[in-house]
């Protein structure tokens, strides 16, 4: 379970990472790309921050994530300059694509189509008898 300190540090990192990533997108003149930091989870020893990114359009997600991962040290340096008054040490950053919106979309599509397990009970797994 996350402590209040972990949540506060995660919030600070999340806010500043949004500014850094969106600023780089604008500075490089990239159009039709939105990067959002959906969640930051910090370990209990505050050494690693797991960052979940939502990238739109989804087709550019893997390419953008690879670019972000290759520039992790520069992003950490920019983050350290921003939070130097709030944190003594900046945690290592680990980036992942947040796919919860895709998961929700798949559920919505399944409910709208014939694969709806609520209306078609045959799609539900039968309980195994042991």
């Amino acid at each position: 379970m996350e402590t209040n300190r972990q949540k506060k540090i995660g919030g600070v990192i999340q806010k500043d990472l949004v500014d850094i990533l969106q600023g780089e997108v604008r500075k490089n003149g990239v159009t039709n790309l939105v990067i959002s930091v959906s969640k930051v989870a910090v370990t209990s020893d505050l050494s690693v921050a797991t960052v979940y990114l939502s990238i739109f359009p989804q087709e550019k997600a893997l390419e953008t994530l690879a670019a972000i991962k290759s520039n992790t040290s520069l992003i950490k340096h920019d983050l350290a300059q921003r939070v130097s008054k709030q944190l003594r040490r900046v945690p290592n950053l680990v980036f992942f694509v947040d796919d919860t919106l895709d998961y929700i979309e798949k559920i919505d599509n399944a409910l709208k189509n014939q694969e709806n397990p609520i209306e078609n009970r045959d799609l539900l797994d039968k309980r195994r008898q042991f």
Side-chain angles (χ1 to χ4, degrees):
M1 184 168 168
E2 272 190 326
T3 64
N4 284 338
R5 181 169 173 80
Q6 287 172 287
K7 290 177 187 175
K8 286 179 185 178
I9 290 173
V12 167
I13 291 171
Q14 181 177 4
K15 179 184 171 292
D16 288 328
L17 277 178
V18 167
D19 293 340
I20 291 169
L21 294 174
Q22 289 179 351
E24 285 300 315
V25 168
R26 278 186 299 238
K27 188 170 80 175
N28 291 328
V30 177
T31 58
N32 299 329
L33 180 67
V34 177
I35 301 174
S36 171
V37 179
S38 56
K39 183 179 178 184
V40 175
V42 182
T43 58
S44 59
D45 63 352
L46 309 177
S47 65
V48 177
T50 305
V51 181
Y52 295 94
L53 303 172
S54 294
I55 302 170
F56 302 103
Q58 190 65 29
E59 298 82 37
K60 294 183 179 181
L62 294 178
E63 173 187 333
T64 305
L65 181 65
I68 290 172
K69 283 184 175 182
S70 68
N71 291 312
T72 300
S73 60
L74 296 173
I75 295 169
K76 183 177 176 181
H77 177 73
D78 288 348
L79 182 64
Q81 290 179 337
R82 289 173 178 251
V83 298
S84 62
K85 303 259 193 257
Q86 297 163 328
L87 296 176
R88 204 174 340 165
R89 215 176 119 209
V90 177
N92 292 326
L93 304 173
V94 180
F95 293 98
F96 292 100
V97 173
D98 185 11
D99 59 352
T100 54
L101 293 177
D102 294 334
Y103 182 70
I104 292 169
E105 185 177 340
K106 286 179 185 177
I107 291 173
D108 284 342
N109 289 337
L111 291 175
K112 290 177 186 174
N113 295 333
Q114 294 177 355
E115 291 97 28
N116 186 346
I118 295 171
E119 294 175 4
N120 188 356
R121 294 283 183 191
D122 295 334
L123 294 174
L124 293 175
D125 291 334
K126 303 286 184 193
R127 288 186 169 219
R128 294 184 203 167
Q129 295 180 3
F130 295 98

